[in-house]
Amino acid sequence: MKLKTMEGGFTICGDNQVYLEHTEQKPALYVGYGEASIDMYRGNFKIEDYVVQRYPLNVVSITGTSDGAQIDFGGLKAKICIDQELLTIYFEKTDPNINRFWLRIPSDKAEKCYGCGEQMSYFNLKGRHFPLWTSEPGVGRDKTTYVTWRSDVENKAGGDYYHTNYPEPTFVSSKHYYFHTDCTAYADFDFRHDDFHELQFWDVPESIRIEHADTFAALVQKLTDYLGRQPVLPEWVYDGAIIGVQGGTKRAFALADRSIRNGIKVNGIWCQDWEGKRVTSFGKRLQWDWQWNKELYPGLPEKIAQYREKGIRFLGYINPYLVNDGELYAEAKEKGYFAVKEDGSDYLVDFGEFYCGVVDLTNPEAYEWFKDRVIKKNMIEFGLSGWMADFGEYLPTDLKLYNGVSPMIEHNHWPARWAKCNYDALKETDTLGKEVFYFMRAGGTGNQKYCTMMWAGDQSVDFSIHDGLASVIVGALSVGMCGCGLHHSDIGGYTSLFGNTRTKELFQRWADMAIFTPLMRTHECNRPEENFQYYDDGDTMELFAAQTDVHVMLKPYIKALVEENSQTGMPVQRPLFMHYEDDARAYDIQTEYLFGKDMLIAPVYLEGQTEWKVYLPEDEWVHLWTGKSFAGGDVTVEAPIGRIPAFYRKNSAYAPLFEAIRKKYGE
Amino acid sequence: MKLKTMEGGFTICGDNQVYLEHTEQKPALYVGYGEASIDMYRGNFKIEDYVVQRYPLNVVSITGTSDGAQIDFGGLKAKICIDQELLTIYFEKTDPNINRFWLRIPSDKAEKCYGCGEQMSYFNLKGRHFPLWTSEPGVGRDKTTYVTWRSDVENKAGGDYYHTNYPEPTFVSSKHYYFHTDCTAYADFDFRHDDFHELQFWDVPESIRIEHADTFAALVQKLTDYLGRQPVLPEWVYDGAIIGVQGGTKRAFALADRSIRNGIKVNGIWCQDWEGKRVTSFGKRLQWDWQWNKELYPGLPEKIAQYREKGIRFLGYINPYLVNDGELYAEAKEKGYFAVKEDGSDYLVDFGEFYCGVVDLTNPEAYEWFKDRVIKKNMIEFGLSGWMADFGEYLPTDLKLYNGVSPMIEHNHWPARWAKCNYDALKETDTLGKEVFYFMRAGGTGNQKYCTMMWAGDQSVDFSIHDGLASVIVGALSVGMCGCGLHHSDIGGYTSLFGNTRTKELFQRWADMAIFTPLMRTHECNRPEENFQYYDDGDTMELFAAQTDVHVMLKPYIKALVEENSQTGMPVQRPLFMHYEDDARAYDIQTEYLFGKDMLIAPVYLEGQTEWKVYLPEDEWVHLWTGKSFAGGDVTVEAPIGRIPAFYRKNSAYAPLFEAIRKKYGE
């Protein structure tokens, strides 16, 4: 990259493109002043902005060379630094009234962009704008559906295409650069303009980064060199599926035994209600007081030990809130570990018919207490080998934090703080990457390093494009482009509302896909009784036994992919263009993925299908189940349940492994 | 009012209030540049703005006295003129890039504002913003209803609280001033801020007016001194109800005869399909080729003459579009009278499964042709005594007009142009206020003078607050505050979609209210077969006979009110505060109205009621049906169907007339 300064502006070019250009005629930097209005209802936010002023920055003075410059813009100073393929700009606000910042990055119609954290509806961001604010992702996420309309009317919870648990001000462009900033203020990345992206921040970022690389592989590596990478998973994670069961010792272990008897490879029993349960109108919820519930789970320590001997782990659940009728709440309140109202009084957050305190993770003592007293003592020492580290999106914007930083800035930072609290507990107990892991839906900058595994959040239990099976693929691909390469989902989805219930077909198709992710895990969903459960159905148990078996057979391959991700940031699930950069069509595909370099997976994401049309980039592909060869292009294959369209590269070093799967389950 | 200039700004004060203040610290004037995106689908608009710049105006130079000043703001010049209680500011844009203009008018929490044309959901504007753009008003107009959701999904047609056929950049404040501008650009009046109203325009207005008066009566008079006033109605209009029937000569006149036989006072037979019909999936639509349809209405001229002898007029229908398979279309196209695409080719507008040309009313020849050839010849000369002058809201923003003005500016101007075309036809045939009148739903600045009668548009056939019976009251009150004091509605509403159908109760309650409006008129609605019709029900005909009789008994009173409106701009239907300025509660009432100074009407706007709670300002009120006296406050009265809560002032000069009604229909 090269910097060129001139009177009133500058240009940063390289690799036949303009990375940034700011002149009087064509400003790239705008600042101003806005008044936000934020309304939170159970993790769903209504956010409005009244922009009082917005104007381009005018250069007052500029001094510089080809790889650096200092610019005084009047109310704001900028320092541009170029280090080969990396551009960093540091900003310093001198006018305290400025609280809005807009940056235009040159674009063109053909450019495509990916990332912005975990996006569930659209992988390619171009053509839409993406508000970046961690929140509930929405139910249905599609204003044309009945489920979304009802959710909006009853709970303000319908959501839209951009709602996500994990937003991040980071994207990768088809023009071979990434953009990233550590700024955690509310942002809105607008890719609707033909000739520029406009990135909006409700704060002046301390710095922004734009880095170029010749390949996408090199780009994700550079990005994760900066952001960090997920560690490897414990060995046992590859040895089967983690089954989500609940309801107490007797029921949970009985269902595990029934699964095992039916040939299902079980490597973990996940009881989200290990700490007790609470029933609300939404469905079954949990007792947010993070410790073993002896009433519901009598004899649990013995059971954990007993199953561990069989190679089966026990997993639990936690989140960073404490319910106000719990023991831990009383302890934390006494110690003053909760975030409070402006006037210092208690701040309780409505989580849906129960109320919780927000443990103030910016208070080092509170952080330590939660990590040591809760996670290390109550969970790791107790014998849990993993848990869902849920939530992180609900930081209200009108509370007072220990560190004095505005909750408007901390809100998007909270998931990474929450991830780090879990990470530190594992690190300090030397269980990280060895015995224990946790999976999160919330995220932000920092998850790359601190979150051991993403999970896609609460999909609807259906085949809907914006909130069903297909949305999980988009989630995995987008978060992968941001440097989080380990991703999985609740098999069969989670949210069942307004008569929308999980079918047998949905569970089976979803499990087919889950084989080809780094982790298989089931969930009974929010209303277990009304929804299909694999353990109630002989056919499905038989199928699930085969599905978990294939997954276990793939262990050497999957383990290598997870290892690769930890070394280079290369995601386990990858877009087709990652390895086929010259294939123009590869850039528009969001419902197929490469599972490592050697497999292409095209999940059947619609109901009632018997065959499936797949696009294959030019290569020597072998259909996993039949051994039929394809050279690329559009192909149609038989796709009955149990035979997800899956292909491997003929020249793969793992070809014998794939052939073994075919011999056992194919033809 | 007094002007005070200072370095960097000015203040305009008077009557213990600040009308306008612009200083460096507290700017009132902002300008900037925006890029709009407009999407029209069958009269429903999706409007988005990308505000590229917005900044306060800084005074470059200012010269002035206490009643006038000239200000140079750099990109814009302003001339302030004060004439006693009237402030006029003329603006001249010198920077051609400016296309957005914002004006802040000082306010306080207690202030209330009314107007913005015809608003159907909220009479008091304070606390909400009102985009001003003539369009379809929406079906249901409430995102929490099934009807609105389905309409949004299927036709982008659900609408919201601010959608209206008749927006106008005019309001009256409880602080005894009105604001008005003739600017017809897209506007958004934002009354959400505690301490100022912010008025946004997508153009720099040539001028704005703020005028004070000591009373609201004086205010509407001053406003209509400037804007003009509706003329009186023809005498025959008071002689009964205009019944909406259709389906051809035989059916229409048979239904009229049946109505008359049942004692209903009929003064007009309104056949909207006099020009023929067209059936679409929405329901029955019309043949938009404005001439007598001989096939459907054989012998119509004879029938018209025959019924006129009985004192019954015949009314038809027209709008300013021509369907592309009609004779008039061919004629207008040959003459080049249609608005065209930018490249000069035909521009056809989708009206819902049929396509029309837009007669270019900015072309004087096209205007004359439509007025003479269509309205005067085909309608007035043919023998019509009135018509629905429908539509006017669909001017697309991407066509080319004869006068070279942007359709973005002409769009909101179109309804008034359309009104004037009808007005001129009546004026030139000397039928205005004597024999012929027309009723319109579309509007804008100019309707005050050019529209002989407003009708409330297409309500849903239900009791819903935002689109049913109650919304009509709000419509009448708000449009009345803008100087259009003649208003009525389809008895029983119009729009029946998605299983929402008119009930007998709805028709009866609506007719109860219509007695106390300047005009009674029925409509079979868009799907006549599925909805309740009065003529199919003996009870309802009996009731409707009484209702029309009461209306006719009120003729001297109503006629005097219409006359008053034509002289002073005092609306026939008035908010309670119009005559009870000291009554604080009067300012918040939008479901009762004064029908002239001497009657208070509180329509029963909910289903299944037997009694009704009414608020009465302090006065000597007499209950119309029982003669019971009230001194004011909250009172509850029996309110069976047929006995709408109606009160008159004991000291009214019309008391004997009201007593006569009681004697005939009350006790």
Side-chain angles (χ1 to χ4, degrees):
Chain A
M1 291 187 194
K2 281 272 177 292
L3 170 70
K4 199 179 133 189
T5 61
M6 60 204 80
E7 204 188 300
F10 62 87
T11 309
I12 296 157
C13 297
D15 318 294
N16 295 316
Q17 60 181 304
V18 180
Y19 288 103
L20 212 58
E21 180 174 36
H22 181 85
T23 62
E24 264 177 52
Q25 292 70 43
K26 236 179 139 180
L29 296 160
Y30 289 79
V31 296
Y33 173 73
E35 294 170 3
S37 106
I38 312 268
D39 176 54
M40 174 170 96
Y41 181 73
R42 298 181 181 173
N44 301 289
F45 291 81
K46 188 178 168 203
I47 299 178
E48 289 179 334
D49 195 20
Y50 167 44
V51 178
V52 180
Q53 291 196 31
R54 176 187 149 118
Y55 49 88
L57 284 173
N58 289 320
V59 173
V60 175
S61 74
I62 184 165
T63 54
T65 65
S66 65
D67 56 5
Q70 306 256 13
I71 309 172
D72 184 352
F73 286 110
L76 188 140
K77 288 179 181 174
K79 185 178 157 192
I80 301 175
C81 300
I82 291 178
D83 178 9
Q84 295 187 357
E85 298 193 302
L86 171 66
L87 162 69
T88 314
I89 309 184
Y90 301 89
F91 296 103
E92 188 198 338
K93 183 168 83 172
T94 52
D95 174 354
N97 288 317
I98 294 173
N99 69 359
R100 296 289 180 272
F101 179 89
W102 294 266
L103 171 69
R104 288 180 173 185
I105 297 177
S107 179
D108 56 56
K109 279 191 191 184
E111 187 181 5
K112 294 171 203 292
C113 297
Y114 309 95
C116 278
E118 187 182 34
Q119 295 296 332
M120 311 304 289
S121 283
Y122 300 105
F123 181 39
N124 175 17
L125 309 167
K126 186 81 175 173
R128 291 182 179 81
H129 76 116
F130 294 82
L132 301 176
W133 186 255
T134 181
S135 72
E136 286 286 349
V139 179
R141 314 177 70 255
D142 176 351
K143 300 302 185 200
T144 69
T145 63
Y146 178 76
V147 160
T148 294
W149 173 64
R150 280 290 299 275
S151 295
D152 275 338
V153 169
E154 313 221 345
N155 302 302
K156 305 181 181 181
D160 213 331
Y161 71 90
Y162 56 81
H163 287 105
T164 174
N165 303 110
Y166 177 178
E168 193 180 309
T170 309
F171 67 88
V172 168
S173 159
S174 59
K175 291 163 84 176
H176 285 104
Y177 71 85
Y178 74 75
F179 171 93
H180 172 76
T181 173
D182 291 334
C183 177
T184 58
Y186 176 90
D188 190 347
F189 281 19
D190 190 347
F191 300 93
R192 286 176 295 188
H193 303 274
D194 280 347
D195 50 346
F196 58 86
H197 315 311
E198 185 169 280
L199 316 181
Q200 176 185 175
F201 299 91
W202 288 10
D203 192 16
V204 175
E206 283 182 23
S207 68
I208 60 160
R209 297 168 66 91
I210 294 176
E211 190 164 14
H212 172 270
D214 290 332
T215 66
F216 295 110
L219 261 185
V220 292
Q221 182 155 6
K222 283 182 168 183
L223 180 62
T224 51
D225 280 349
Y226 178 73
L227 293 172
R229 300 183 186 109
Q230 290 166 301
V232 295
L233 294 165
E235 182 81 16
W236 62 264
V237 169
Y238 309 108
D239 293 336
I242 296 169
I243 56 163
V245 286
Q246 55 189 334
T249 309
K250 199 169 160 192
R251 180 177 187 272
F253 288 91
L255 285 173
D257 291 344
R258 191 195 297 175
S259 301
I260 295 161
R261 268 201 316 276
N262 279 273
I264 294 166
K265 291 212 163 21
V266 176
N267 62 347
I269 300 165
W270 171 49
C271 294
Q272 60 166 10
D273 61 349
W274 74 290
E275 75 285 28
K277 68 182 177 179
R278 177 184 292 272
V279 175
T280 73
S281 64
F282 177 79
K284 279 194 183 151
R285 301 289 296 266
L286 308 169
Q287 185 59 32
W288 295 15
D289 185 39
W290 315 118
Q291 52 191 317
W292 168 36
N293 187 301
K294 292 177 189 172
E295 289 69 44
L296 194 60
Y297 282 91
L300 184 56
E302 297 72 26
K303 281 285 181 190
I304 291 176
Q306 186 185 330
Y307 278 77
R308 185 188 297 268
E309 277 182 21
K310 303 187 205 172
I312 297 171
R313 263 56 172 192
F314 186 80
L315 298 89
Y317 174 99
I318 191 174
N319 69 47
Y321 311 101
L322 295 171
V323 69
N324 65 347
D325 56 10
E327 287 175 21
L328 289 169
Y329 178 90
E331 195 177 326
K333 183 163 156 52
E334 200 200 321
K335 292 174 190 286
Y337 288 166
F338 289 120
V340 292
K341 287 188 183 164
E342 273 299 329
D343 65 5
S345 63
D346 291 355
Y347 196 120
L348 289 170
V349 177
D350 173 10
F351 278 89
E353 300 163 34
F354 61 96
Y355 298 85
C356 297
V358 177
V359 177
D360 189 344
L361 301 175
T362 73
N363 176 347
E365 278 184 33
Y367 181 94
E368 287 293 309
W369 174 81
F370 200 85
K371 169 171 63 69
D372 294 344
R373 168 78 182 82
V374 185
I375 302 181
K376 281 157 74 169
K377 178 155 176 278
N378 285 3
M379 304 187 76
I380 299 174
E381 281 175 30
F382 178 73
L384 300 186
S385 297
W387 52 84
M388 174 181 278
D390 204 5
F391 285 95
E393 311 89 350
Y394 282 48
L395 189 77
T397 55
D398 56 348
L399 43 63
K400 200 167 82 177
L401 294 169
Y402 179 87
N403 69 352
V405 174
S406 163
M408 286 295 297
I409 301 296
E410 284 290 348
H411 178 86
N412 276 348
H413 191 186
W414 217 251
R417 285 192 184 276
W418 171 224
K420 185 169 185 297
C421 190
N422 287 270
Y423 180 88
D424 287 348
L426 269 59
K427 193 97 178 168
E428 291 168 17
T429 52
D430 195 28
T431 56
L432 184 70
K434 294 175 178 167
E435 174 58 26
V436 181
F437 85 110
Y438 48 90
F439 43 102
M440 292 181 62
R441 61 174 204 177
T445 301
N447 271 44
Q448 290 81 359
K449 180 166 182 185
Y450 298 119
C451 174
T452 53
M453 168 63 87
M454 293 301 306
W455 119 82
D458 303 343
Q459 281 69 53
S460 281
V461 288
D462 60 28
F463 285 98
S464 65
I465 297 301
H466 294 283
D467 199 31
L469 192 158
S471 70
V472 166
I473 309 170
V474 180
L477 294 179
S478 57
V479 85
M481 294 309 288
C482 292
C484 276
L486 304 183
H487 188 272
H488 81 298
S489 62
D490 297 339
I491 296 176
Y494 171 77
T495 305
S496 171
L497 285 175
F498 311 118
N500 189 31
T501 53
R502 182 197 283 167
T503 61
K504 175 172 171 176
E505 180 184 2
L506 181 76
F507 182 89
Q508 294 181 332
R509 288 292 193 192
W510 208 307
D512 269 345
M513 174 171 69
I515 301 169
F516 303 96
T517 66
L519 169 61
M520 293 184 83
R521 181 180 52 80
T522 65
H523 196 310
E524 292 180 329
C525 99
N526 62 316
R527 294 183 171 176
E529 291 78 6
E530 301 164 30
N531 283 269
F532 177 83
Q533 307 297 348
Y534 75 88
Y535 48 67
D536 291 335
D537 183 74
D539 293 352
T540 306
M541 288 221 272
E542 193 178 331
L543 176 63
F544 198 44
Q547 289 163 327
T548 53
D549 187 39
V550 173
H551 184 69
V552 173
M553 288 175 83
L554 285 166
K555 177 172 177 175
Y557 183 66
I558 299 176
K559 202 179 150 184
L561 297 179
V562 173
E563 174 73 23
E564 182 188 15
N565 177 65
S566 76
Q567 297 290 329
T568 67
M570 173 61 72
V572 171
Q573 292 172 260
R574 310 163 190 178
L576 274 54
F577 64 76
M578 184 67 84
H579 296 302
Y580 300 91
E581 299 210 347
D582 296 333
D583 185 332
R585 279 186 60 187
Y587 291 79
D588 289 323
I589 291 176
Q590 67 169 42
T591 53
E592 301 178 8
Y593 60 92
L594 297 176
F595 186 56
K597 193 176 165 53
D598 292 350
M599 294 199 93
L600 185 147
I601 311 299
V604 176
Y605 60 82
L606 299 175
E607 213 162 4
Q609 306 297 305
T610 54
E611 55 178 38
W612 197 246
K613 199 175 148 191
V614 182
Y615 176 72
L616 298 171
E618 206 179 301
D619 209 323
E620 292 182 284
W621 294 106
V622 182
H623 185 229
L624 180 64
W625 311 109
T626 62
K628 203 177 159 193
S629 292
F630 297 95
D634 291 310
V635 306
T636 299
V637 292
E638 293 291 312
I641 283 167
R643 292 216 177 166
I644 184 173
F647 304 82
Y648 62 88
R649 295 197 316 112
K650 194 179 169 188
N651 298 328
S652 169
Y654 294 88
L657 191 162
F658 303 137
E659 278 158 29
I661 292 171
R662 177 162 73 252
K663 273 178 196 144
K664 191 162 179 188
Y665 291 103
E667 306 290 353
Chain B
M1 291 186 194
K2 282 272 177 293
L3 170 70
K4 198 178 134 191
T5 60
M6 59 204 82
E7 204 188 300
F10 62 88
T11 310
I12 296 158
C13 297
D15 317 295
N16 296 316
Q17 60 181 303
V18 180
Y19 289 103
L20 212 58
E21 180 173 36
H22 181 85
T23 62
E24 262 178 54
Q25 292 71 43
K26 236 179 139 180
L29 295 160
Y30 289 79
V31 296
Y33 172 74
E35 294 170 3
S37 110
I38 312 267
D39 175 53
M40 175 171 96
Y41 180 74
R42 297 181 182 172
N44 300 290
F45 291 81
K46 188 179 168 199
I47 299 179
E48 289 179 333
D49 195 21
Y50 168 44
V51 178
V52 180
Q53 291 195 31
R54 175 186 151 118
Y55 49 89
L57 284 173
N58 289 320
V59 172
V60 175
S61 74
I62 183 165
T63 55
T65 65
S66 65
D67 56 5
Q70 306 256 15
I71 308 172
D72 185 352
F73 285 109
L76 188 139
K77 288 180 181 172
K79 187 179 157 191
I80 300 176
C81 301
I82 291 177
D83 179 8
Q84 296 186 358
E85 298 194 300
L86 171 66
L87 162 68
T88 314
I89 308 184
Y90 300 90
F91 295 103
E92 188 197 338
K93 183 168 82 173
T94 52
D95 175 353
N97 288 318
I98 294 173
N99 68 0
R100 295 289 180 274
F101 179 90
W102 294 267
L103 171 69
R104 288 179 174 186
I105 296 178
S107 178
D108 56 56
K109 279 191 189 182
E111 187 181 5
K112 295 170 202 292
C113 298
Y114 309 95
C116 278
E118 187 182 35
Q119 295 296 334
M120 310 305 288
S121 283
Y122 301 104
F123 181 40
N124 175 16
L125 309 167
K126 186 79 175 174
R128 291 183 180 81
H129 75 115
F130 294 83
L132 300 176
W133 185 254
T134 181
S135 72
E136 286 286 350
V139 180
R141 314 176 70 253
D142 177 351
K143 300 303 185 200
T144 69
T145 63
Y146 178 76
V147 160
T148 295
W149 172 64
R150 279 290 299 275
S151 293
D152 275 338
V153 170
E154 312 219 345
N155 302 301
K156 306 181 180 180
D160 212 331
Y161 71 90
Y162 55 82
H163 286 105
T164 175
N165 303 111
Y166 176 177
E168 193 180 307
T170 310
F171 67 88
V172 168
S173 160
S174 59
K175 292 163 82 176
H176 284 104
Y177 71 86
Y178 74 74
F179 171 94
H180 171 75
T181 173
D182 291 333
C183 177
T184 58
Y186 176 89
D188 191 344
F189 281 18
D190 190 347
F191 299 93
R192 287 176 295 187
H193 303 274
D194 280 346
D195 50 344
F196 58 87
H197 315 310
E198 185 168 281
L199 315 181
Q200 176 184 175
F201 299 92
W202 287 11
D203 193 15
V204 175
E206 283 183 23
S207 68
I208 60 159
R209 297 167 68 89
I210 294 177
E211 191 164 14
H212 172 270
D214 290 331
T215 65
F216 295 111
L219 262 185
V220 292
Q221 182 156 5
K222 282 182 168 183
L223 180 61
T224 51
D225 279 348
Y226 178 71
L227 293 172
R229 300 183 185 108
Q230 290 166 300
V232 295
L233 294 166
E235 182 80 15
W236 64 262
V237 169
Y238 309 108
D239 294 334
I242 296 169
I243 56 163
V245 285
Q246 55 189 335
T249 309
K250 199 169 159 192
R251 179 177 188 275
F253 288 91
L255 285 173
D257 292 343
R258 193 198 293 177
S259 301
I260 296 161
R261 267 200 318 275
N262 279 273
I264 293 165
K265 294 216 164 10
V266 175
N267 63 348
I269 300 165
W270 171 49
C271 294
Q272 61 165 8
D273 61 348
W274 74 290
E275 75 285 27
K277 67 182 177 179
R278 177 184 292 271
V279 176
T280 73
S281 64
F282 176 78
K284 278 195 184 153
R285 301 290 297 264
L286 308 169
Q287 184 60 32
W288 294 15
D289 186 38
W290 315 117
Q291 53 191 315
W292 169 35
N293 187 302
K294 293 179 189 170
E295 288 69 45
L296 194 60
Y297 281 92
L300 184 58
E302 296 71 27
K303 282 285 182 191
I304 291 177
Q306 186 185 325
Y307 277 76
R308 184 188 297 268
E309 280 181 19
K310 304 187 204 172
I312 297 171
R313 264 59 174 189
F314 187 80
L315 297 89
Y317 174 98
I318 190 174
N319 70 45
Y321 311 101
L322 295 171
V323 68
N324 66 348
D325 56 10
E327 287 175 21
L328 289 170
Y329 178 90
E331 196 177 324
K333 183 163 156 53
E334 200 200 322
K335 291 175 191 287
Y337 287 165
F338 289 120
V340 292
K341 288 187 182 164
E342 272 301 327
D343 65 5
S345 63
D346 291 356
Y347 196 120
L348 289 171
V349 177
D350 173 10
F351 277 89
E353 300 163 34
F354 61 97
Y355 297 86
C356 298
V358 176
V359 177
D360 189 345
L361 300 175
T362 73
N363 175 348
E365 279 184 32
Y367 181 93
E368 288 293 309
W369 175 81
F370 200 84
K371 167 172 64 68
D372 294 343
R373 168 79 182 79
V374 184
I375 302 180
K376 280 156 76 169
K377 178 152 176 281
N378 285 4
M379 304 187 75
I380 298 174
E381 282 173 32
F382 178 72
L384 300 187
S385 297
W387 53 83
M388 176 181 277
D390 204 5
F391 286 94
E393 310 90 349
Y394 283 48
L395 190 76
T397 55
D398 56 347
L399 44 61
K400 200 168 81 176
L401 294 169
Y402 179 88
N403 70 352
V405 174
S406 162
M408 285 296 295
I409 301 297
E410 284 290 348
H411 177 86
N412 275 349
H413 191 188
W414 217 250
R417 285 192 182 276
W418 170 224
K420 186 171 186 296
C421 190
N422 287 270
Y423 180 88
D424 287 348
L426 268 59
K427 193 97 178 166
E428 290 169 17
T429 52
D430 196 26
T431 55
L432 184 70
K434 294 174 179 168
E435 173 59 27
V436 181
F437 85 109
Y438 47 90
F439 43 103
M440 292 179 62
R441 60 174 204 177
T445 301
N447 271 46
Q448 290 82 359
K449 180 166 182 183
Y450 297 121
C451 174
T452 53
M453 169 62 88
M454 292 303 304
W455 118 83
D458 303 341
Q459 280 69 52
S460 281
V461 287
D462 58 30
F463 286 97
S464 65
I465 297 301
H466 293 283
D467 199 31
L469 192 159
S471 69
V472 166
I473 309 169
V474 180
L477 294 179
S478 57
V479 86
M481 294 308 289
C482 292
C484 276
L486 305 182
H487 188 271
H488 81 298
S489 62
D490 297 339
I491 296 176
Y494 170 77
T495 304
S496 171
L497 284 174
F498 312 117
N500 189 32
T501 54
R502 182 197 284 167
T503 61
K504 176 171 169 174
E505 180 184 0
L506 181 76
F507 182 89
Q508 295 182 332
R509 288 293 193 191
W510 208 306
D512 269 344
M513 174 172 69
I515 299 170
F516 304 96
T517 67
L519 168 62
M520 293 184 82
R521 181 179 52 79
T522 66
H523 195 312
E524 293 180 329
C525 100
N526 63 316
R527 293 182 172 176
E529 291 79 5
E530 301 164 28
N531 284 271
F532 177 82
Q533 307 297 349
Y534 76 87
Y535 49 66
D536 290 335
D537 181 74
D539 293 351
T540 307
M541 288 220 271
E542 193 179 329
L543 176 64
F544 198 44
Q547 289 162 327
T548 53
D549 187 39
V550 174
H551 184 69
V552 173
M553 288 175 81
L554 285 166
K555 177 172 176 175
Y557 183 66
I558 300 176
K559 202 178 151 185
L561 297 178
V562 173
E563 174 73 22
E564 182 189 12
N565 177 65
S566 75
Q567 297 290 329
T568 68
M570 172 61 72
V572 171
Q573 292 172 261
R574 308 162 192 179
L576 273 55
F577 63 77
M578 184 68 85
H579 297 301
Y580 299 91
E581 298 210 349
D582 296 333
D583 185 332
R585 280 188 59 188
Y587 292 79
D588 288 323
I589 290 176
Q590 67 168 40
T591 52
E592 300 178 9
Y593 59 93
L594 297 176
F595 185 56
K597 193 176 165 51
D598 292 350
M599 295 198 93
L600 186 148
I601 312 297
V604 176
Y605 60 83
L606 297 175
E607 213 161 5
Q609 307 298 305
T610 54
E611 53 178 38
W612 197 245
K613 200 175 147 191
V614 182
Y615 177 72
L616 297 171
E618 207 181 300
D619 209 324
E620 292 181 284
W621 294 106
V622 183
H623 185 228
L624 180 63
W625 311 110
T626 61
K628 203 177 158 193
S629 291
F630 298 95
D634 289 312
V635 307
T636 299
V637 293
E638 293 291 311
I641 282 167
R643 293 221 178 162
I644 184 173
F647 304 82
Y648 62 87
R649 294 196 317 115
K650 193 179 167 188
N651 298 328
S652 168
Y654 294 90
L657 192 161
F658 303 138
E659 279 159 27
I661 292 171
R662 178 163 70 251
K663 273 177 197 145
K664 191 161 179 190
Y665 291 104
E667 307 292 351

